[in-house]
Amino acid sequence: MAIPRAAKTQRRTRIQEEKEELILEAALEVFSSNGFRGSTIDQIAEAAGMSKPNLLYYFRTKEAMHRQLIDRVLFTWLEPLRVMDAEGSPEAEIRSYIRRKLEMARDFPRESRLFANEILQGAPHIEDELTGPLKELVDEKAEVIRTWAKAGKIAECDPYHLIFSIWSTTQHYADFDVQVRAVLGRSKADENRFENAALFLEQLFLDGLKLR
Amino acid sequence: MAIPRAAKTQRRTRIQEEKEELILEAALEVFSSNGFRGSTIDQIAEAAGMSKPNLLYYFRTKEAMHRQLIDRVLFTWLEPLRVMDAEGSPEAEIRSYIRRKLEMARDFPRESRLFANEILQGAPHIEDELTGPLKELVDEKAEVIRTWAKAGKIAECDPYHLIFSIWSTTQHYADFDVQVRAVLGRSKADENRFENAALFLEQLFLDGLKLR
DNA sequence: TGTATGTTTTACCAACCGGTCAAATTATCG
DNA sequence: CGATAATTTGACCGGTTGGTAAAACATACA
């Protein structure tokens, strides 16, 4: 007898692992470019090359897929902030934080847009994660930044708004990609937009924080 | 005999003008918090206090409402950039540009989110506006900034990325409001987030551009 | 007041969408 | 091989959604 859902089996099959990955990849593609409500299970199923009921054999509901994607993204998305080291030099730490975030915007734009979509609509599925783990991590790193400022290693500034501004400027290149490219047009400026952004942002933040 | 659609009449009635405004207000509310596909005509009709067929008497389709809203927002959204004055002092111009954009994020968050939603999903309805009027305006102002830099009034920097960074940092407080508030928690820092953001961003950009 | 025009409502429809069911097919393993 | 469990599919269902038809109702004005 077939067990109702793959999730109920004790050990996941090789097929299960492969298909779930396939589905999540397809779901990321679809969700990130159409939003949650704008995406249909049929679209995801087609992108994953399988029938709708087959997809629903692996994920009970549309929400389940979305949920798993969001959880995953939220975790990896915070990695650059997590590795910011209180013991390191402020200049190097902030510079590499910006660089890492910008690389993520370049290499994982779908993940960024998925997250942006969720927040834009009021984060209906992840309020707890925001006020819980996210807030805790930011509080911790804000304290690090504040310590740097107190020690005179960096200009006095509101650490929370500093973090917000790094988030927003870097993610802009993923979330608002269409706009950025429309404005830059077909040009070298467009092709090199990530390098140019890196140079500009480095200058902006390092000078803005009187780090050099 | 009733004319099929209000739009076909030669002069718009007083009632038409009032109702269309009422509908657009309701549509803004609904679209900005649910996205285009996430919003239903019924929701908008209810928010506007009328029946669905009645609403459809004023706007033929859901797209028509959305379209008109987007056009409107796109225009007013660029006003702060439009008034940036090549003859003014760079410090005052940039400072007031930031302030104006931040005020718009505070006072018109729904408009900001409507626009963000549209861009996030690839701007399917407004690609022409982006590569046309928007690009032209940005090109013009980028030239102004470049002139300031050449004259040594402001640090050398890529003017396009400067504009992007002002857009992203300010709009962040509207588009990512939920996240900002979750991180700041229930506190004075949350209540005063716009003043604090203004102070921080002013410092960041003025020092980052060696303007003081 | 009567008539033409403008506005609103009730009832409705076809397409879509998330999800189920039962049966068919395939993989796994003793 | 044979049996059992895992996977896949086609048919289907009930609720939602964008939009229509037609008639009732309101308004303006000669």
Side-chain angles (χ1 to χ4, degrees):
Chain A
M1 185 202 80
I3 288 165
R5 297 293 164 185
K8 282 206 177 173
T9 56
Q10 310 198 333
R11 259 206 294 185
R12 289 164 74 220
T13 324
R14 176 182 46 84
I15 292 184
Q16 274 174 34
E17 228 152 310
E18 283 174 14
K19 292 280 160 110
E20 282 177 19
E21 215 43 53
L22 191 70
I23 291 170
L24 287 176
E25 159 65 26
L28 174 60
E29 184 68 30
V30 175
F31 280 141
S32 69
S33 51
N34 303 107
F36 180 75
R37 288 229 25 201
S39 307
T40 70
I41 300 184
D42 274 309
Q43 286 176 317
I44 299 171
E46 195 191 332
M50 63 178 73
S51 66
K52 182 168 65 168
N54 194 11
L55 185 153
L56 286 166
Y57 171 73
Y58 292 101
F59 291 89
R60 257 195 259 286
T61 64
K62 194 177 157 186
E63 269 87 2
M65 277 181 277
H66 191 251
R67 178 75 205 202
Q68 193 155 329
L69 276 176
I70 288 273
D71 282 352
R72 228 186 245 202
V73 167
L74 191 57
F75 184 84
T76 62
W77 217 241
L78 290 173
E79 191 56 24
L81 184 55
R82 222 176 273 120
V83 303
M84 199 168 89
D85 182 10
E87 309 302 321
S89 101
E91 176 179 346
E93 291 300 319
I94 287 174
R95 177 180 267 156
S96 86
Y97 181 45
I98 293 170
R99 208 195 58 235
R100 268 186 243 266
K101 285 291 290 177
L102 203 49
E103 280 166 2
M104 293 190 74
R106 183 192 61 200
D107 299 335
F108 306 103
R110 299 178 306 176
E111 283 81 349
S112 185
R113 283 196 280 266
L114 180 84
F115 186 68
N117 256 309
E118 179 66 13
I119 300 287
L120 248 187
Q121 322 244 327
H125 307 97
I126 53 163
E127 248 213 272
D128 293 347
E129 276 87 344
L130 296 186
T131 55
L134 173 68
K135 177 173 164 50
E136 276 164 41
L137 177 63
V138 175
D139 281 341
E140 179 197 326
K141 298 304 179 178
E143 200 46 47
V144 169
I145 293 169
R146 191 168 280 142
T147 308
W148 287 341
K150 285 242 168 77
K153 294 178 180 170
I154 176 185
E156 280 284 350
C157 71
D158 186 316
Y160 290 94
H161 292 281
L162 171 57
I163 291 173
F164 292 153
S165 66
I166 294 177
W167 284 351
S168 61
T169 48
T170 53
Q171 289 175 11
H172 189 76
Y173 293 94
D175 303 342
F176 286 70
D177 180 61
V178 197
Q179 195 187 37
V180 167
R181 305 190 64 154
V183 167
L184 293 181
R186 299 171 172 284
S187 64
K188 274 267 177 278
D190 180 54
E191 283 170 44
N192 301 332
R193 63 193 188 280
F194 283 100
E195 291 110 274
N196 293 342
L199 287 173
F200 172 81
L201 291 177
E202 200 167 290
Q203 175 188 338
L204 176 68
F205 283 99
L206 295 191
D207 287 340
L209 297 173
K210 303 220 190 270
L211 267 167
R212 62 179 186 189
Chain B
M1 184 203 80
I3 288 167
R5 298 293 165 186
K8 282 208 180 173
T9 56
Q10 311 199 333
R11 260 207 291 183
R12 289 165 72 220
T13 323
R14 177 183 45 84
I15 291 184
Q16 275 176 34
E17 228 153 310
E18 285 174 14
K19 292 279 161 109
E20 283 176 16
E21 216 43 56
L22 192 68
I23 291 169
L24 286 176
E25 159 65 26
L28 174 59
E29 183 68 30
V30 175
F31 280 141
S32 69
S33 51
N34 303 107
F36 181 75
R37 288 230 25 198
S39 306
T40 70
I41 300 184
D42 274 310
Q43 285 176 319
I44 299 171
E46 195 191 331
M50 63 178 73
S51 67
K52 181 170 66 168
N54 194 12
L55 184 154
L56 286 167
Y57 172 73
Y58 293 101
F59 291 89
R60 258 196 257 287
T61 63
K62 194 178 157 186
E63 270 88 2
M65 279 181 276
H66 191 250
R67 177 76 206 201
Q68 193 155 328
L69 277 177
I70 288 271
D71 282 351
R72 223 184 249 203
V73 167
L74 191 56
F75 184 84
T76 61
W77 217 241
L78 290 172
E79 191 55 25
L81 184 55
R82 224 177 272 121
V83 302
M84 199 168 89
D85 183 8
E87 310 302 320
S89 99
E91 176 179 346
E93 292 300 318
I94 286 175
R95 177 181 266 158
S96 87
Y97 181 47
I98 292 170
R99 208 196 58 236
R100 268 187 243 265
K101 284 292 290 177
L102 204 50
E103 279 166 3
M104 292 189 74
R106 183 193 61 199
D107 299 336
F108 306 104
R110 298 177 307 174
E111 282 81 350
S112 184
R113 283 195 280 267
L114 181 83
F115 186 68
N117 255 309
E118 178 66 14
I119 299 288
L120 247 188
Q121 324 242 326
H125 306 99
I126 53 163
E127 249 213 272
D128 293 347
E129 277 87 344
L130 297 186
T131 55
L134 173 67
K135 178 174 164 46
E136 275 163 41
L137 178 63
V138 176
D139 281 342
E140 179 197 326
K141 298 304 181 179
E143 200 45 47
V144 169
I145 294 170
R146 194 168 277 143
T147 308
W148 288 341
K150 284 243 169 76
K153 294 178 180 170
I154 176 184
E156 282 283 350
C157 71
D158 186 315
Y160 290 93
H161 292 281
L162 170 58
I163 291 174
F164 293 153
S165 67
I166 294 177
W167 283 352
S168 61
T169 49
T170 53
Q171 289 175 11
H172 189 77
Y173 293 95
D175 304 342
F176 286 70
D177 181 60
V178 197
Q179 195 187 37
V180 167
R181 305 190 63 154
V183 167
L184 294 180
R186 299 170 173 285
S187 64
K188 274 267 177 276
D190 180 54
E191 282 169 45
N192 302 332
R193 63 193 188 281
F194 283 101
E195 292 110 275
N196 293 343
L199 287 173
F200 171 80
L201 291 178
E202 199 167 290
Q203 174 188 338
L204 177 68
F205 283 99
L206 295 190
D207 288 339
L209 297 173
K210 304 222 189 267
L211 266 166
R212 61 178 186 191

